[in-house]
Amino acid sequence: MNKKTVLSVVLGWFVMSYPTLLKAQVENAQSEFKGIIGKTIEESREYFPEKKKAPAGAPNIIVLLIDDAGYGTSSAFGGLMQTPVLDSLANNGLRYTNFHSTGVCSPTRAALLTGRNHHSVHMGTLNYSSLGFPGYDARMPADKATIAEILRENQYNTFAVGKYHVAPLDEITVNGPFDRWAVGRGFDHFYGFQLGHTDQYHPNLYEDTRVVDVEPNKTHLTTLLANKAISYIANQKSIAPEKPFFLYFATGAIHSPHQVDKKWSDLYKGKFDKGWDVYREEVFARQKKLGVIPPDAILPDRDTSVKAWNSLTPKQKKVYSRFMEIYAGFLTHTDYEFGRILKYVREIGQDRNTLVLAIVGDNGSSHGPRNGSFNGYISSLGEEEQVEELYKNLDKMGTEHSFSDAPAGWTQATNTPFRLWKADPNSEGGTHQPLIVYYPNGGYEKGGVRNQYGHVIDIAPTIYEIAGAQIPEAIKGVKQAPIEGTSLAYSLKKADAPNRHTVQYYELFGKRAIVKDGWKASVFHRPGTGFKEDVWELYNLNEDFNERIDLAKKHPEKVEELKKVFDEEARKYNVYPLHDRLFASGFAAGSNRIGGRKRGPWGDRREIVLYPGIDQFLTLTGPQFQGESFTITADVDITSKQDEGVLFSTGSEFDGLSLFVKDNKLYSAHNTGGIVRHLESASAIPVGKNKLRFDFQFDKEAKPGAPAGREALYINGAKAAEREISLREGVIGLYKDGIDVGADRNSPVSNKYQSPFTFKGILHKIVIEYK
């Protein structure tokens, strides 16, 4: 049968069937109508379907997710960072002491929001390091609905505020598609950022599906987020007071950059001068007193990568203590802002019927640099030089002009009582998080402690059970897969209830573990080594909760038993193939590098044309400049010698590239870790039509210390300036700020202008060509 015949048959069927289909639709609509339709309005009776209602007594629900916070950060679980709001919730609610994340950002959030394992929802890695396999492509499937989707089906209003970090990289543009953004996954509104971190004073924000420009801005991001959350709640309770709300509040704090107003960091002046070894001991003792660790627990040895505090120089101690003061002030400020939300809920009379689930950390504290970090340039120096430069910049630490992260000694200390760090899913230090459950109407004892095993996939079913929410068989016509988590509701009123979640796997970047009935087998896989070389460890968490004693040699049969369980879980939940590709070696511009052009919306396209008026891109979702040669050409009309401004920019004052016109000259600013190298054209730009080009020639095979290429400026094809570049300058604007056409919003790449430095001439287009 040829195509013409097939088309004729289909059209014939449609013409014959259409009246029947239309009649069926009309009859269906009439069957749902329970009024009367007469010839006149007098003979008719109106009918409006009854509005659906939320389950009787369904509470408002707030889920707080703090970023990059270890078990020993918050004072609510014995830490020395003061969190009076979390303390109050815990003292009037329940502390869960055996709760776990996946070990890193995107996977934890995907698992939390869906109640399914992270590989099961295709988020086996970070959204900007995705791979083309079902467990790793960062495309959360529609058959595994989010909490927001299910609660909205149960007549909740739903809001996501803060860090999202689970949309595919190539879809994070204002062009969408938006079905995997927060508003496409059940949230009525979204206000926040899309990647792993953002600047706390110059954030890259979206509201719903649009870019939000908050500049010029001096308000801290966490304050902006709290303001928006309160606004959403105020509108919701004013317009639909009968409906409950679900607020997912995921802060950027306390992920780097550690930035906070001095009044918060100065609360801790001198309070960490005793150092990280004493911090660990004091927190360990406080945790025992609170009952959040076993009374017979033993503190693990300091990690071998961390120096003893007493071995440090006075200058090192001064620098490292200041880092910790900022780190602590950052969390205390976050606690305060979250408290403002809860205060508002109390003021409108909604506090008793509001369930709060506060998760302190989407993973353990991050494995910070040995000396901490201020900017990329200082981090590139030798250790002694770093300390000297950091000491010179003490007053700038924690401000908008620093991209601070705490030293590894402090981040290990804030993971007390565990070993290792974030992104170590094989360890409790990477995955063991405080959980606080607070619900005045729940009837739970105040200040209770729960030791049942829990995981982020358990949050969704816990919410559904407490709210009395029904899980639809299908959402938007898509049949739903089973929930994979276990509700914790069974333990809310029974402190001694036996564990129900008895098996759980972990895997990130080849590091992996399996927990079954309190036994744990794990692998600390080293990137670049063969998986067959991995050595399994074994721990009895029932007796050794913080993994001090490896029993693998004593119980090899148990290791083999658990390895088989891991394999079963891995096959069930899309874990295979194992990989360790978070970062690729060298300057690969393809799919193995973090971000990488292949993951962006243009794929492998060699030419990209951008027009003025375009919204800001994120650096990882816009054109990439990662270790390859390229040109950027601006097609402009210079209407007078006074025309100036930015033509194209990517990045911020910490890293990036800007092409701009000033004083009738063409400039480029190449910012590497805060060190800016400018090119200035030798000749003026003539009035009229011009093609202004930046040419970047890069040799990724260059030896360290040798020139790695050249960058040059051209005005209408004539070379106007040139300089040699180093190997380190091959990656530009990676993961900092945004990409702008005709301006440089947020934080400026160059110190020769102030943002936004909007171009005053006529910019027709920007053409980027990769060589």
Side-chain angles (χ1 to χ4, degrees):
M1 188 179 292
N2 59 38
K3 291 182 180 179
K4 189 174 182 180
T5 304
V6 171
L7 183 61
S8 297
V9 170
V10 171
L11 285 174
W13 175 88
F14 181 77
V15 169
M16 293 178 65
S17 303
Y18 181 72
T20 304
L21 294 171
L22 184 62
K23 181 181 178 182
Q25 285 184 327
V26 171
E27 290 176 348
N28 184 55
Q30 290 177 339
S31 68
E32 294 177 358
F33 180 72
K34 298 180 181 178
I36 297 174
I37 299 176
K39 286 186 176 181
T40 67
I41 191 74
E42 290 79 14
E43 298 170 338
S44 305
R45 187 178 71 222
E46 292 181 286
Y47 169 76
F48 294 98
E50 185 178 352
K51 287 185 177 181
K52 295 180 180 179
K53 296 180 180 179
N60 306 307
I61 300 164
I62 299 176
V63 172
L64 167 68
L65 182 60
I66 296 175
D67 205 350
D68 275 14
Y71 199 81
T73 50
S74 165
S75 54
F77 275 70
L80 300 184
M81 298 182 180
Q82 299 307 306
T83 52
V85 174
L86 293 180
D87 292 359
S88 177
L89 292 177
N91 293 337
N92 291 281
L94 302 174
R95 288 177 173 88
Y96 276 78
T97 69
N98 197 12
F99 184 76
H100 298 77
S101 66
T102 69
V104 82
C105 306
S106 302
T108 288
R109 292 158 201 278
L112 166 67
L113 286 170
T114 62
R116 280 90 166 186
N117 287 295
H118 54 301
H119 295 87
S120 183
V121 289
H122 298 212
M123 203 68 66
T125 184
L126 301 169
N127 68 336
Y128 46 71
S129 54
S130 57
L131 295 170
F133 301 101
Y136 300 94
D137 62 17
R139 283 163 162 70
M140 289 168 54
D143 68 339
K144 297 179 174 71
T146 67
I147 297 171
E149 287 174 300
I150 289 174
L151 290 183
R152 190 154 72 173
E153 292 285 322
N154 284 269
Q155 304 310 302
Y156 272 73
N157 284 124
T158 54
F159 314 117
V161 177
K163 177 173 171 176
Y164 195 56
H165 204 200
V166 291
L169 204 61
D170 62 332
E171 296 180 3
I172 307 176
T173 74
V174 294
N175 208 42
F178 303 115
D179 52 330
R180 279 182 278 261
W181 286 42
V183 292
R185 295 308 306 259
F187 287 102
D188 296 326
H189 290 293
F190 165 65
Y191 181 85
F193 57 103
Q194 294 273 20
L195 296 181
H197 66 247
T198 192
D199 194 284
Q200 298 297 314
Y201 290 102
H202 303 288
N204 303 109
L205 296 176
Y206 292 82
E207 183 154 22
D208 297 336
T209 62
R210 304 300 300 175
V211 173
V212 177
D213 186 358
V214 297
E215 302 295 342
N217 180 59
K218 294 295 181 184
T219 304
H220 195 278
L221 173 60
T222 312
T223 304
L224 293 174
L225 298 180
N227 290 345
K228 184 60 69 171
I230 291 169
S231 172
Y232 285 154
I233 294 169
N235 278 288
Q236 191 269 335
K237 286 302 176 187
S238 298
I239 297 167
E242 74 283 358
K243 296 181 73 171
F245 67 82
F246 166 51
L247 170 64
Y248 172 52
F249 190 73
T251 65
I254 49 179
H255 196 295
S256 64
H258 296 170
Q259 298 166 317
V260 72
D261 293 356
K262 275 181 102 278
K263 75 172 187 176
W264 294 100
S265 56
D266 284 354
L267 293 173
Y268 292 95
K269 275 285 188 184
K271 293 192 175 180
F272 300 115
D273 289 354
K274 294 178 182 178
W276 47 60
D277 293 323
V278 171
Y279 183 101
R280 293 180 74 221
E281 293 166 359
E282 290 185 359
V283 168
F284 196 66
R286 287 163 58 92
Q287 289 172 336
K288 284 189 175 182
K289 188 174 180 179
L290 276 173
V292 295
I293 64 174
D296 59 349
I298 298 173
L299 184 65
D301 294 338
R302 182 192 332 105
D303 194 88
T304 55
S305 66
V306 175
K307 293 182 178 179
W309 184 263
N310 290 336
S311 71
L312 303 177
T313 67
K315 194 167 285 188
Q316 284 176 314
K317 290 179 179 179
K318 183 72 173 176
V319 167
Y320 300 162
S321 293
R322 184 56 184 158
F323 272 121
M324 187 57 180
E325 292 164 6
I326 295 161
Y327 195 15
F330 197 14
L331 182 58
T332 300
H333 174 252
T334 303
D335 181 81
Y336 169 80
E337 293 296 344
F338 183 60
R340 286 204 302 121
I341 299 172
L342 298 184
K343 180 182 178 184
Y344 182 78
V345 170
R346 184 170 63 251
E347 287 172 350
I348 62 173
Q350 293 290 320
D351 55 317
R352 291 203 60 80
N353 196 40
T354 296
L355 166 67
V356 179
L357 297 153
I359 305 168
V360 186
D362 57 344
N363 41 248
S365 295
S366 178
H367 193 167
R370 175 176 286 187
N371 298 302
S373 64
F374 179 83
N375 61 29
Y377 165 69
I378 293 178
S379 295
S380 73
L381 302 174
E383 186 165 335
E384 291 185 9
E385 293 174 289
Q386 284 187 42
V387 174
E388 287 295 327
E389 290 297 317
L390 290 168
Y391 189 78
K392 293 176 187 177
N393 285 282
L394 280 174
D395 289 341
K396 290 184 180 179
M397 284 184 182
T399 71
E400 64 181 298
H401 301 298
S402 69
F403 209 87
S404 297
D405 199 358
W410 284 121
T411 55
Q412 188 200 15
T414 55
N415 277 335
T416 300
F418 302 113
R419 302 182 301 110
L420 301 178
W421 287 270
K422 167 185 177 177
D424 293 328
N426 52 296
S427 74
E428 295 297 298
T431 63
H432 206 123
Q433 318 296 155
L435 168 66
I436 299 167
V437 178
Y438 171 83
Y439 182 29
N441 282 353
Y444 323 135
E445 83 267 29
K446 293 183 177 181
V449 173
R450 298 291 184 269
N451 299 315
Q452 288 84 358
Y453 181 90
H455 188 273
V456 284
I457 62 173
D458 300 335
I459 293 296
T462 302
I463 286 173
Y464 304 150
E465 185 168 350
I466 293 174
Q470 298 298 309
I471 302 174
E473 183 177 338
I475 293 179
K476 296 180 182 177
V478 179
K479 182 177 172 59
Q480 292 298 295
I483 297 292
E484 294 163 10
T486 302
S487 171
L488 291 168
Y490 73 92
S491 63
L492 293 172
K493 295 183 179 180
K494 294 181 180 179
D496 59 351
N499 279 331
R500 292 187 182 178
H501 190 150
T502 58
V503 177
Q504 181 61 48
Y505 83 89
Y506 297 83
E507 193 281 334
L508 290 169
F509 321 121
K511 298 177 183 178
R512 52 207 189 275
I514 183 72
V515 174
K516 185 175 187 293
D517 298 325
W519 284 90
K520 180 177 182 179
S522 61
V523 167
F524 186 89
H525 174 76
R526 299 187 183 279
T529 63
F531 290 104
K532 292 182 179 179
E533 300 171 30
D534 289 339
V535 177
W536 286 80
E537 301 169 4
L538 179 69
Y539 300 97
N540 182 353
L541 299 180
N542 298 311
E543 300 174 0
D544 178 26
F545 85 112
N546 55 357
E547 304 170 302
R548 293 178 54 253
I549 305 167
D550 181 4
L551 301 173
K553 292 182 179 179
K554 187 175 181 180
H555 298 291
E557 75 291 343
K558 193 69 176 177
V559 173
E560 292 304 314
E561 173 194 332
L562 291 175
K563 284 169 66 176
K564 290 179 181 178
V565 177
F566 177 86
D567 184 66
E568 291 169 0
E569 297 292 288
R571 294 182 186 280
K572 183 177 179 181
Y573 295 119
N574 294 334
V575 176
Y576 294 137
L578 297 176
H579 77 94
D580 53 14
R581 294 180 177 181
L582 173 57
F583 298 96
S585 60
F587 287 98
S591 62
N592 289 346
R593 189 166 182 81
I594 180 174
R597 287 197 293 111
K598 288 185 179 180
R599 293 193 182 90
W602 295 279
D604 278 333
R605 196 178 303 173
R606 308 303 295 178
E607 180 181 280
I608 297 171
V609 180
L610 304 176
Y611 296 98
I614 193 171
D615 287 317
Q616 185 182 69
F617 291 99
L618 302 178
T619 50
L620 282 183
T621 64
Q624 301 288 291
F625 308 104
Q626 298 186 30
E628 57 187 328
S629 299
F630 63 89
T631 63
I632 301 174
T633 304
D635 187 352
V636 303
D637 289 351
I638 300 295
T639 60
S640 76
K641 292 182 178 181
Q642 283 68 50
D643 286 352
E644 62 178 7
V646 173
L647 303 169
F648 175 86
S649 68
T650 176
S652 68
E653 71 172 280
F654 305 110
D655 194 85
L657 175 68
S658 176
L659 185 64
F660 61 98
V661 175
K662 186 177 182 182
D663 300 327
N664 203 217
K665 298 284 189 74
L666 176 62
Y667 286 84
S668 66
H670 190 154
N671 186 326
T672 306
I675 299 299
V676 186
R677 295 175 176 85
H678 289 93
L679 283 179
E680 176 185 346
S681 64
S683 56
I685 305 171
V687 172
K689 294 184 178 297
N690 289 273
K691 288 193 181 297
L692 309 177
R693 188 170 91 239
F694 174 80
D695 189 277
F696 188 78
Q697 300 290 336
F698 183 69
D699 177 11
K700 63 185 178 184
E701 305 299 332
K703 295 180 180 179
R710 308 181 74 81
E711 60 185 24
L713 296 177
Y714 290 82
I715 299 176
N716 300 318
K719 186 181 291 184
E722 185 178 36
R723 76 174 185 92
E724 290 183 343
I725 57 175
S726 68
L727 197 62
R728 190 166 177 269
E729 293 175 287
V731 175
I732 301 171
L734 179 62
Y735 211 162
K736 301 290 194 298
D737 209 295
I739 295 176
D740 294 301
V741 172
D744 183 1
R745 300 175 182 87
N746 303 89
S747 170
V749 173
S750 171
N751 53 13
K752 288 185 178 293
Y753 58 78
Q754 292 183 336
S755 292
F757 199 40
T758 304
F759 183 59
K760 295 178 181 177
I762 300 172
L763 174 61
H764 295 289
K765 62 183 177 180
I766 293 289
V767 179
I768 300 167
E769 295 177 278
Y770 297 99
K771 299 181 178 180

